[in-house]
């Protein structure tokens, strides 16, 4: 296992110290030492090995320039980077003369820190090499050893950083497992890598992800040998390194060398990451074991965070859906309307080539597009007769209310747009913002057609269900005025293929109704919240 670098940060500003501490703690590959002034920092350098130092220039007592001068007398191999918000030519020259290797001008980006460390360590390796060559010609072997260790340390940090960067970006457990096996093969140079989940009911490992390179072998026979070793070792829950195929299960499966590391969450064994060498003379080393074990530990943390995130959002969505069910329960004629609207919108979206992410937005928005009606009082929402103009204006507020509710979550900007604009019209005569044409969000155009279709295809307190032929004729006629033509074309294709069928006992949501103004003959334009045609 590689030794952590000791990083000393010297600054009289506690906020700067906290920023560095938080950054290095998250990286997990550095050990941070902190000092508030030059005197305290000098004492740290005398007591503890320091591999790298960041220091402020202007500090009470012993300032940064004096500290740099004195620390060179303690250990002139320590790379020192000066941080200052007010660099001047005199201060730069003075500190450079005393051995400063770089400057960071405040304010700087936090990610500049790690870049500076890498760059400076490389410079330090050259500096150490030159220093020892000048002072100790006969100490060549020792110098080479130092350089080799430094290079290994840099390589080690680069590998650990690669693992952190890749693993931390995983958003799903399945994607993470696939990433782990690919990284394992790349880092160790093994022929293949596998991830097994522990099946607690049978006490056996189950293969869930593999990376096999260009090897073409019988998978079942290959895995059987690994599985038998894992069954023997899983109960121990500790990393395993088998440099040579001393285990008969492995040699019979054609395996030369094996690594198996546990993935544990809160102390419970979840699975095992394995890497395999089958041929040649290469065997895994302790360094390979360290890398994979580090990866497994980091992955466990990511999985736990992903699970927590998914659990929070599942509970959140369940709460929001419960609101919608409450709204629909207030009016038996709109029962399951939101589910039906979501289903129709998804069918149309797929026909239009929507991406997986867009379909997720449509599904969420479809189920919650009428959530704003929770802010409309029952006297208006459930009114069996015509709405007055004032009452209709209140009904028209529900997209704004719904978007506001979703907006407070802070993470759903696209869904918020769809919910706010699903009553806009292509000709600009919709609400709440009177958007027109391409200004209407793409997914809101799809939801608008799905919403109107289900509203017309549903029974209402003030009318019977409108016949299918009338619904289809109305939607076709309103293409280019109320609806986007491309959405109508996709809807009609899906409908004609029989992929849309109205099932009031199963599905959807928008609109309680609600009649307002005089009833018109014909269906020149249908507003789901008017509950009847209007012009």
């Amino acid at each position: 296992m590689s030794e952590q670098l000791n990083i000393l940060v010297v600054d009289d500003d506690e906020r700067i110290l906290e920023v560095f501490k938080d950054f290095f703690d998250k990286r997990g590959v550095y050990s941070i030492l902190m000092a508030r002034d030059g005197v305290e920092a000098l004492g740290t350098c005398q007591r503890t090995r320091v591999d790298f130092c960041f220091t402020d220039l202007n500090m009470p007592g012993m300032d940064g320039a004096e500290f740099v001068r004195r620390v060179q007398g303690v250990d002139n191999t320590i790379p020192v980077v000066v941080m200052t918000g007010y660099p001047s030519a005199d201060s730069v020259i003075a500190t450079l003369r005393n051995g400063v290797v770089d400057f960071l001008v405040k304010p700087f980006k936090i990610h500049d820190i790690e870049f500076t460390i890498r760059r400076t360590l490389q410079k330090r390796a050259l500096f150490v090499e030159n220093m020892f060559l000048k002072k100790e010609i006969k100490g060549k072997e020792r110098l080479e050893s130092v350089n080799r260790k430094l290079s290994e340390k840099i390589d080690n940090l680069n590998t650990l950083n690669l693992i952190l960067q890749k693993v931390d970006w995983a958003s799903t457990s399945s994607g993470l497992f696939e990433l782990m096996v690919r990284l394992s093969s790349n880092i160790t140079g093994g022929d293949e890598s596998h991830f097994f989940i522990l099946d607690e009911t049978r006490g056996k490992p189950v293969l869930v992800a593999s990376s096999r390179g260009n090897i073409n072998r019988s998978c079942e026979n290959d895995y059987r040998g690994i599985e038998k070793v894992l069954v023997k070792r899983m109960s121990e829950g500790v990393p395993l390194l088998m440099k040579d195929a001393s285990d008969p299960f492995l040699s019979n499966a054609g395996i030369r060398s094996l690594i198996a590391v546990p993935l544990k969450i809160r102390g419970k064994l979840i699975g095992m990451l394995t890497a395999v060498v089958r041929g040649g003379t290469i065997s895994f080393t302790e360094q390979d074991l360290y890398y994979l074990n580090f990866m497994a530990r980091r992955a466990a943390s990511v999985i736990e965070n992903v699970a927590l995130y998914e659990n929070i959002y599942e509970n959140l969505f369940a709460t929001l859906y419960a609101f919608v069910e409450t709204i629909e329960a207030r009016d038996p004629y709109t029962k399951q309307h939101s589910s039906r609207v979501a289903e129709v919108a998804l069918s149309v979206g797929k026909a239009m080539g929507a991406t997986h992410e867009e379909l997720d937005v449509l599904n969420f928005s479809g189920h919650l597009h009428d959530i704003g009606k929770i802010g409309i009082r029952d006297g208006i929402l459930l009114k069996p007769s015509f709405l007055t103009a004032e009452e209709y204006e209140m009904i028209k507020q529900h997209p704004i209310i719904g978007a506001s509710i979703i907006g407070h979550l802070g993470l759903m900007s696209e869904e918020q747009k769809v919910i706010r604009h699903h009553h806009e019209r292509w000709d600009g005569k919709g609400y709440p913002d009177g958007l027109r044409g391409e200004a209407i969000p793409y997914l809101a155009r799809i939801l608008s057609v799905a919403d109107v279709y289900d509203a017309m295809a549903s029974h209402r307190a003030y009318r019977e269900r409108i016949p299918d032929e009338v619904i289809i004729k109305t939607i076709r006629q309103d293409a280019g005025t109320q609806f986007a033509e491309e959405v109508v074309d996709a809807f009609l294709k899906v409908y004609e293929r029989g992929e849309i069928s109205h099932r009031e006992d199963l599905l959807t949501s928008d609109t309680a109704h609600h009649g307002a103004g005089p009833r018109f003959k014909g269906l020149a334009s249908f507003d789901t919240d008017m509950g009847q045609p209007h012009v």
Side-chain angles (χ1 to χ4, degrees), residues 410-423:
L411 298 174
M412 303 172 182
S413 59
E414 292 304 314
E415 290 86 347
Q416 186 180 6
K417 292 176 185 176
V418 176
I419 291 172
R420 181 181 180 93
H421 298 300
H422 74 278
H423 279 297

Side-chain angles (χ1 to χ4, degrees), residues 8-18 20 33-38 40-41 54-60 83-84 106 108:
L8 173 61
V9 182
V10 189
D11 202 303
D12 60 332
D13 189 336
E14 289 291 336
R15 294 172 299 178
I16 296 294
L17 296 178
E18 287 299 320
F20 272 83
L33 307 169
M34 296 186 293
R36 278 73 181 172
D37 57 37
E40 183 182 356
F54 291 89
T55 182
D56 190 18
L57 204 55
N58 299 314
M59 296 181 293
M83 307 176 294
T84 180
K106 299 179 182 177
F108 51 85

